[in-house]
Each structure stands twice: as structure tokens, then as C-alpha cells.
Amino acid sequence: MLKTLAAAALALTAVLTAPAANAIPDVPDYVTIDVVTVNGSGCPAGTAAVASADDRTAFTVTYSQYLAQAGQGSAPTDFRKNCQLNLRVTYPQGFTFGIAQADYRGFANLQAGATGTEKGNYYFQGMSQTASRTHTFNGPKSDNWQATDRAQVAEIIYAPCGEVRHLNINTELRVNAGTASKAHSFMTMDSTDSSVSTKYQFSWKRC
């Protein structure tokens, strides 16, 4: 009897610990990202590059001319720069995705009395639902800046299952000279190399 129970226990343990034959990974087998259009004063043609992560959990955007400035030496339209990316994300049927987190980085040189603002807006083509976050930085500041948009699970907006909907990401940098109008303040989201990028993390789920 004891031998029978022991054998049954071992068999049950093997079933519980052995990987299931039909185990499903958390991410799809392949993901490709194509830039359909790029528009905005912060990303002139050829100044924004998109790359997907090898593990298919995220993608990055690198800018080379994304700078907003205000105060002495600035043109009236320089205080606000924006970039609208329209992306086609291709992946296997049976999955859908949303943006769970976005990490922004850059450099800010803000005089005392000046402020800088970074804003990100995310939505799918043809859908009214949008997710938006804004981060404000106060002068005096002359340093790298970083901002993270992190959505709660219930807040993540997913593409409709079985439909092709382009992902739109609209970002904005804005600098207000404030009481430092006679000085020069600026804020960038650009980089001279690929080490400083905006990172967007996917949230994948089964349809």
C-alpha cells in the first residue's frame, strides 16, 4: 500500500512539475514595427528612428533634433515642439497589445522661473480612447531629465482583436520662459547616439 501511494505521489509530482506540452509564452513569436508616417516640428524627416527589442517586449524611438526653447535668442514658435508617430505593429493572430509603460529621457537647461513640460499621448487609429500623461520640470535645472508613464492594468488601452489598427504616439516638449524671459532655457529629447532613447513597453494578451 505504501509503495503504491509513493508511486502515485511521484507520478503526480512529475505531472505538476513537468512543462505542459501546450504551454503558451507571454509574448508572440514575432513582432515587426514599421513607421508609416512621422510628422511634427520635433522630428523632421530622417531624425527619428524606431527599433524593436529582441525579446519582443518593447521598442525604442531615438530622436536627433527634438528641442524646445524659450527666452533670449529663441523664435516665437520654438517654445513648443511635437512629434506624431504612426506605427504599424505586426504580430501573430490571437494576440493584442497596448502600451504599459513609456520611459522618456533628455536634457534640460531651465533658468530660475522657467518651466519645461513633456507630454505623451497614445491611441489606436479609429478609436476614441486615449491615454495621456504630462510631466513638468521647474528651473533652475541643468541636468538630464527622465519621466515615466506607467499605466495600471485597468488603464491599458488594447488594440481590437483581429483588426489592424495603427498605433499613434504623439509627444510634446514645451518650455515656458516665465520670469526668465531675458535668459535662454531649453529642453531636449534628442541624442547624439542611440544610448538615449524613448522606450515603450508592450503589454501583450491573448484574444
Side-chain angles (χ1 to χ4, degrees), residues 35-203:
V35 179
V36 180
T37 58
V38 180
N39 293 297
S41 54
C43 53
T47 66
V50 178
S52 58
D54 292 338
D55 63 2
R56 306 175 301 285
T57 62
F59 65 95
T60 59
V61 182
T62 305
Y63 303 96
S64 59
Q65 293 185 25
Y66 206 153
L67 179 147
Q69 56 186 336
Q72 189 176 32
S74 301
T77 58
D78 286 346
F79 77 98
R80 178 186 178 274
K81 299 292 181 179
N82 79 296
C83 183
Q84 170 102 13
L85 297 175
N86 183 279
L87 306 175
R88 180 172 57 247
V89 183
T90 306
Y91 47 91
Q93 290 186 349
F95 280 94
T96 185
F97 78 96
I99 300 300
Q101 181 171 312
D103 298 305
Y104 297 93
R105 293 189 293 168
F107 184 83
N109 184 42
L110 303 172
Q111 306 299 324
T115 58
T117 302
E118 178 275 324
K119 182 178 180 180
N121 187 37
Y122 324 94
Y123 61 96
F124 287 99
Q125 187 176 28
M127 295 177 61
S128 59
Q129 290 177 294
T130 64
S132 180
R133 299 287 189 279
T134 301
H135 304 272
T136 300
F137 302 87
N138 298 311
K141 178 181 179 65
S142 183
D143 200 354
N144 295 323
W145 63 268
Q146 183 168 347
T148 296
D149 296 348
R150 185 178 295 108
Q152 300 296 322
V153 174
E155 297 174 336
I156 299 174
I157 299 172
Y158 288 91
C161 286
E163 297 183 23
V164 177
R165 297 289 183 99
H166 291 178
L167 172 65
N168 289 279
I169 299 176
N170 194 354
T171 56
E172 175 184 311
L173 287 182
R174 187 186 295 259
V175 174
N176 186 337
T179 58
S181 58
K182 295 184 178 180
H184 180 239
S185 295
F186 67 88
M187 187 172 178
T188 74
M189 194 156 54
D190 65 1
S191 171
T192 55
D193 58 59
S194 60
S195 63
V196 179
S197 304
T198 300
K199 183 177 182 180
Y200 297 93
Q201 295 186 8
F202 288 121
S203 174

